[in-house]
Amino acid sequence: MSRIKIGGGITLRPWQKKVMRAFDNGKRWVVLCVSRRAGKSLFAWNLLIREAINKPGTYWYCFDNYSTAYKAIWVAMTSKGIRFLDMIPKDLVLSVNSAKLEIKLTNGSVITLVGINKADKLVGAGLQGVVFDEYAVLSPNSIEFISAMLGETGGWRVMISTPRGKNHFYEQFNFAKAHPEFAYTLQMHCGMPEIAQYMAPGFLDQERLQIINKY
C-alpha cells in the first residue's frame, strides 16, 4: 500500500511526535496544556486529517464560534506560508463548502469546523473524532452536548488549550492525568527549550523584560 503524505510538507516537532505515538498506542482521550505558538492546533489538525483519511466518518474541529474557526484554520497558514487547508492531499478532497466550513473526502469522511456556542443545534452526528481547540474558553454545556455524540462510535477526543486558571480545562487535565490507562496528558510552556527554539530570536527575552517592568 502506498503512503499518503499529509501536512503540506511540515515536519512534526518532537513533542508532537510523542503525542502521536501515544495516540497510536490506544490513548483516545488526549489533553494538551500547551503555550501559544507551540504548534498545538497544527498538530491536532493534522491528526484529525490523518484519522479522517484512515477511517471514513464524521470529524469535527471545534472552536467557541464560527469566526474563530474561520480565522484559526480555514484561512490560516503557518509561519512558512503553508495553508492549513492545503495540508489535506488535494486528490483526496471531493468538495469544499466555505459557507459550512466543511470538507468532504473521496472516502466518504466529512471534516467540519464547528463553532459550538450553539451546540444544542448540532446534536445527532455520530462522530468518529473531535478536537476541542482552546478548551478553556469553550462552554462546558456545549462540550457535553458534543461529547455525548462519541458514545455510539466510541470515537476519540483531543482537548487542547493554553492554561487559564482553575476552570473546566484544569479539571479535565487533572482527570486525564489520574487515568493513564485510557488518557494521555502533556504540559508544555514557552520557557521550555523544546518550545523556545521555535520562537523568533529575542522574543522571549523581550517578553520577560516587559513582565519584569510591569510586576
Side-chain angles (χ1 to χ4, degrees):
M1 180 182 295
S2 60
R3 287 179 174 269
I4 298 174
K5 293 185 178 181
I6 65 174
I10 66 167
T11 300
L12 288 180
R13 300 173 183 180
W15 76 263
Q16 295 167 333
K17 293 179 180 178
K18 185 177 180 181
V19 180
M20 190 73 82
R21 285 195 295 270
F23 186 92
D24 289 341
N25 286 331
K27 299 301 174 66
R28 292 295 186 270
W29 189 302
V30 179
V31 184
L32 306 178
C33 180
V34 185
S35 65
R36 290 182 176 84
R37 314 315 306 166
K40 59 184 180 297
S41 295
L42 181 67
F43 164 78
W45 175 241
N46 276 279
L47 174 62
L48 186 144
I49 293 171
R50 190 193 71 165
E51 293 306 300
I53 292 173
N54 288 338
K55 186 175 183 178
T58 301
Y59 296 83
W60 283 4
Y61 197 111
C62 299
F63 291 91
D64 55 343
N65 57 58
Y66 176 95
S67 178
T68 305
Y70 181 79
K71 295 174 183 176
I73 297 291
W74 200 259
V75 296
M77 61 179 64
T78 69
S79 59
K80 295 183 179 180
I82 301 173
R83 295 177 69 243
F84 274 60
L85 292 189
D86 290 340
M87 295 173 188
I88 305 174
K90 285 184 170 55
D91 58 343
L92 298 182
V93 176
L94 180 65
S95 65
V96 177
N97 189 322
S98 296
K100 294 183 178 180
L101 301 188
E102 180 181 273
I103 303 165
K104 293 183 178 180
L105 305 185
T106 55
N107 69 346
S109 283
V110 180
I111 298 173
T112 308
L113 304 184
V114 180
I116 69 171
N117 52 351
K118 295 183 179 179
D120 57 318
K121 297 181 180 180
L122 300 172
V123 295
L127 297 177
Q128 289 292 345
V130 59
V131 173
F132 294 103
D133 202 310
E134 284 303 329
Y135 192 98
V137 302
L138 302 181
S139 164
N141 290 335
S142 297
I143 291 170
E144 289 180 8
F145 269 119
I146 295 173
S147 296
M149 300 178 196
L150 299 168
E152 180 182 357
T153 63
W156 54 267
R157 70 190 74 183
V158 172
M159 295 147 278
I160 62 178
S161 188
T162 51
R164 295 173 184 261
K166 294 184 177 181
N167 55 17
H168 56 286
F169 178 66
Y170 175 82
E171 295 171 355
Q172 189 68 247
F173 184 87
N174 285 328
F175 173 81
K177 191 175 181 179
H179 294 279
E181 68 274 15
F182 65 82
Y184 179 83
T185 60
L186 182 73
Q187 189 168 15
M188 302 284 288
H189 59 78
C190 61
M192 299 175 70
E194 186 176 338
I195 299 298
Q197 66 176 310
Y198 297 105
M199 301 291 182
F203 174 79
L204 288 180
D205 291 333
Q206 293 171 12
E207 292 296 302
R208 186 177 294 110
L209 288 174
Q210 288 188 35
I211 292 173
I212 291 173
N213 180 67
K214 183 176 182 179
Y215 297 105

